Amino acid sequence: ELKVEQNPLFLSMQEGKNYTIYCNYSTTSDRLYWYRQDPGKSLESLFVLLSNGAVKQEGRLMASLDTKARLSTLHITAAVHDLSATYFCAVDGTDKLIFGTGTRLQVFP
Amino acid sequence: KAGVTQTPRYLIKTRGQQVTLSCSPISGHRSVSWYQQTPGQGLQFLFEYFSETQRNKGNFPGRFSGRQFSNSRSEMNVSTLELGDSALYLCASSLYGTSAQETQYFGPGTRLLVL
């Protein structure tokens, strides 16, 4: 059964700092998704990574996918308070998404 | 283009009752998936419907059921509610589903509280 693990589960970081969230999954998959969820809100799509070596960037967030290592990273550059949210990775598990545990990010001044 | 809508947004029920939740996908989208989100179990897949047919089902008891109408709107039903069914229920739509390498667009969710 496909399992998806994220770490860290909780991340408190100062504005202006850089950090990386890791997403490991247990079986082969070529598709990985990153979502953002604000408290009490729904999931917002951030990135869709469809092949080995895929890299996508949007603002201060950059996501990459290494299918051989079964690893995706979400890198945060020069964090700002607006990035505070919970971030989920999700892997395609044959007609369904298998979500990671989520990483709750808190950015403080 | 209007997003995914879900009704109701909040619901309070008591144990043993049943509940029906509704999801209207983005216009033109034919795939609707349902997910349950709880603090303990995280986000878990319930089922997916495509063109009125259930295409996939997660590991949930038979109390959880769903259907999809010809206009792609979907409903899920939970019978004989248990306290553990308290959760945020999210639906997501896409043109053809995850097998088509598409993004799934999520609705705002229905927050269900079972007392």
Side-chain angles (χ1 to χ4, degrees), chain A residues 31 35 37 42 48 94-95 97, chain B residues 37 56 99 101 103-104 107:
Chain A
R31 297 188 283 271
Y35 286 89
Q37 186 177 39
S42 188
V48 180
T94 311
D95 292 329
L97 291 179
Chain B
Q37 185 177 26
N56 203 356
S99 60
Q101 301 181 0
T103 297
Q104 290 195 330

Side-chain angles (χ1 to χ4, degrees), chain A residues 15-32:
Chain A
E15 281 186 334
K17 299 293 186 182
N18 305 332
Y19 209 84
T20 300
I21 298 171
Y22 297 89
C23 174
N24 291 88
Y25 52 99
S26 60
T27 62
T28 302
S29 177
D30 290 336
R31 297 188 283 271
L32 190 136

Side-chain angles (χ1 to χ4, degrees), chain A residues 39-82:
Chain A
K41 300 294 178 70
S42 188
L43 296 168
E44 173 192 353
S45 175
L46 294 174
F47 301 108
V48 180
L49 303 169
L50 298 177
S51 61
N52 186 42
V55 177
K56 290 197 174 178
Q57 182 164 6
E58 180 74 34
R60 300 174 188 274
L61 300 177
M62 182 174 73
S64 66
L65 177 61
D66 182 343
T67 58
K68 293 179 181 176
R70 297 176 188 169
L71 171 69
S72 179
T73 60
L74 180 66
H75 187 72
I76 302 155
T77 302
V80 294
H81 179 71
D82 285 351

Side-chain angles (χ1 to χ4, degrees), chain B residues 19-32:
Chain B
V19 67
T20 299
L21 312 181
S22 180
C23 171
S24 293
I26 292 172
S27 177
H29 284 190
R30 295 163 62 188
S31 168
V32 174

Side-chain angles (χ1 to χ4, degrees), chain A residues 2-6 23-25 32-37 42-45 86-93 96-103, chain B residues 33-37 41-46 90-92 98 104-106:
Chain A
L2 175 59
K3 293 191 185 301
V4 182
E5 293 182 349
Q6 282 181 244
C23 174
N24 291 88
Y25 52 99
L32 190 136
Y33 306 80
W34 283 96
Y35 286 89
R36 167 184 171 145
Q37 186 177 39
S42 188
L43 296 168
E44 173 192 353
S45 175
T86 299
Y87 294 85
F88 292 92
C89 64
V91 178
D92 176 33
K96 62 184 177 184
L97 291 179
I98 306 298
F99 282 86
T101 48
T103 296
Chain B
S33 297
W34 289 89
Y35 294 84
Q36 181 196 64
Q37 185 177 26
Q41 299 298 319
L43 279 152
Q44 293 185 288
F45 172 78
L46 280 157
L90 295 164
C91 83
T98 56
Q104 290 195 330
Y105 296 91
F106 282 79

